Amino acid sequence: MRKFLLHPYLVFGLPLLLFLTDAFLYYVLKIGNSDLISVLYHTLGGLSMAMVFFYFFERNPELYSFKNKLLVNIVLAVSFAMLIGVLWEFMEFSIDYIFVEYAKLHPAQPSLADTMADLACDLIGATLFSLAYLRFSSSKENS
């Protein structure tokens, strides 16, 4: 299960798939920021960024002296995912700021509450993946 969770096609394919489907829904079908789509994408986005963190974490063990410290691993993975989430929100703000006329019709960031909900979903997705991954990792090492 651990190898499946960190398979390169899944690790890099999921974020790419999320980005492409979001762009298709937003720009082609003109389906904007519905709450359900936003929650789904940000939760899966946080999950996929935690996946990317653990992918590089597993392939560079010489960089980490805390490999067996569960809480440190979770905090680092979630922090990485949250950093990417905050950068994404900066990008959305920049799009609304630069393309003012388009943002009046289809804002990327409709409100502060939307931004906070997006970041909360990033946090939930990253935490869920981190806990699941470390659970499968520890069960493999114990057996």
Side-chain angles (χ1 to χ4, degrees), residues 28-40:
V28 176
L29 298 181
K30 303 293 186 206
I31 298 173
N33 274 336
S34 77
D35 290 337
L36 179 63
I37 291 173
S38 185
V39 166
L40 178 67

Side-chain angles (χ1 to χ4, degrees), residues 34-58:
S34 77
D35 290 337
L36 179 63
I37 291 173
S38 185
V39 166
L40 178 67
Y41 277 125
H42 280 277
T43 304
L44 289 174
L47 183 141
S48 67
M49 290 301 104
M51 194 182 296
V52 168
F53 173 83
F54 282 112
Y55 177 82
F56 288 109
F57 181 81
E58 288 287 327

Side-chain angles (χ1 to χ4, degrees), residues 19-83:
F19 181 76
L20 292 175
T21 55
D22 185 44
F24 179 76
L25 289 173
Y26 191 76
Y27 295 108
V28 176
L29 298 181
K30 303 293 186 206
I31 298 173
N33 274 336
S34 77
D35 290 337
L36 179 63
I37 291 173
S38 185
V39 166
L40 178 67
Y41 277 125
H42 280 277
T43 304
L44 289 174
L47 183 141
S48 67
M49 290 301 104
M51 194 182 296
V52 168
F53 173 83
F54 282 112
Y55 177 82
F56 288 109
F57 181 81
E58 288 287 327
R59 273 142 190 81
N60 299 298
E62 68 278 359
L63 297 177
Y64 306 101
S65 61
F66 43 80
K67 187 161 177 66
N68 295 326
K69 295 188 171 118
L70 180 70
L71 186 60
V72 173
N73 293 332
I74 291 172
V75 167
L76 286 173
V78 170
S79 296
F80 175 76
M82 291 303 297
L83 171 67

